[in-house]
Amino acid sequence: MRRRLVLFDIDGTLITDSGAARHSYGLALRETYGFEGDLTRYDFSGRTDPQITSMVLHDAGFTDEQIAARASQLWEVYLRELATHATEESVRVLPGIRELLDRLAAVDHITLGLLTGNIERGARLKLAPPGLNRYFPFGAFGSDSAKREELPPIAVERASKIDGHRFQGREVVIIGDSIYDVRCGVPHDATTIAIASGKTSAERLRAENPSHFFHSAEELTGLLDAVIPW
């Protein structure tokens, strides 16, 4: 039976954090760069944390050199604030996700991981309140590369070190709620599953021609059929 590496996006796919991360990020931008702009006009969906930072600060007139000079301080402040604001009250597991993870984790030939634009420590802080970190011993993160399309091979390499199998092509399953979750899998011939549980409309997701599309993770039977190679 063929194995599968199943890689989950976080925000809008696994959880919603009620704005905790955006609020923490705004505080960090203000403290580190003196940024006072309006973050609500930006769509962060599917973008890596470094991409978001470049997008926002370039608009505010910062150069690449100025952004890079304070980047480590930005993440330090962001993580400090996120540790305070990502709580059991603010972080909510999206409908159907916990049952989906339980079912997948029980299948011997399924390996679970993360594929997210979050920097790794930020990802772990978000998943900690609802206890989801236990499903994901590894992943590929925005702290590994600012380019999301470079993340699948990183996840594959890390998976091979855990279970000894070199996943390739359709054996890699990427599950997310944004167009970038779909697009990052295309160069690698991965199986892409779009779920309209985030901010991106169903119509826009369908237009990306993912391998499979679902309105919600509550469509458990269909999702399992799409993921598990019976």
Side-chain angles (χ1 to χ4, degrees), residues 74 88 134 148 211 214:
L74 172 70
E88 292 183 0
R134 67 185 181 89
R148 200 177 188 100
S211 307
F214 299 94

Side-chain angles (χ1 to χ4, degrees), residues 65-160:
E65 291 74 18
Q66 290 171 326
I67 296 170
R70 305 181 208 172
S72 60
Q73 180 185 351
L74 172 70
W75 302 129
E76 181 180 341
V77 177
Y78 167 64
L79 293 173
R80 181 195 73 202
E81 295 297 330
L82 187 61
T84 298
H85 293 98
T87 65
E88 292 183 0
E89 290 72 32
S90 64
V91 180
R92 178 173 59 86
V93 179
L94 289 172
I97 285 296
R98 200 177 292 277
E99 184 174 3
L100 174 62
L101 292 177
D102 284 339
R103 293 287 294 273
L104 292 176
V107 180
D108 289 339
H109 50 280
I110 294 288
T111 298
L112 295 178
L114 295 168
L115 195 154
T116 174
N118 287 274
I119 60 173
E120 182 170 8
R121 182 59 183 150
R124 296 303 182 182
L125 285 172
K126 289 181 181 182
L127 295 179
L132 296 188
N133 276 313
R134 67 185 181 89
Y135 293 100
F136 306 106
F138 72 97
F141 306 88
S143 43
D144 294 313
S145 174
K147 297 179 179 179
R148 200 177 188 100
E149 65 271 17
E150 294 181 353
L151 297 183
I154 294 172
V156 166
E157 178 64 27
R158 289 176 177 162
S160 70

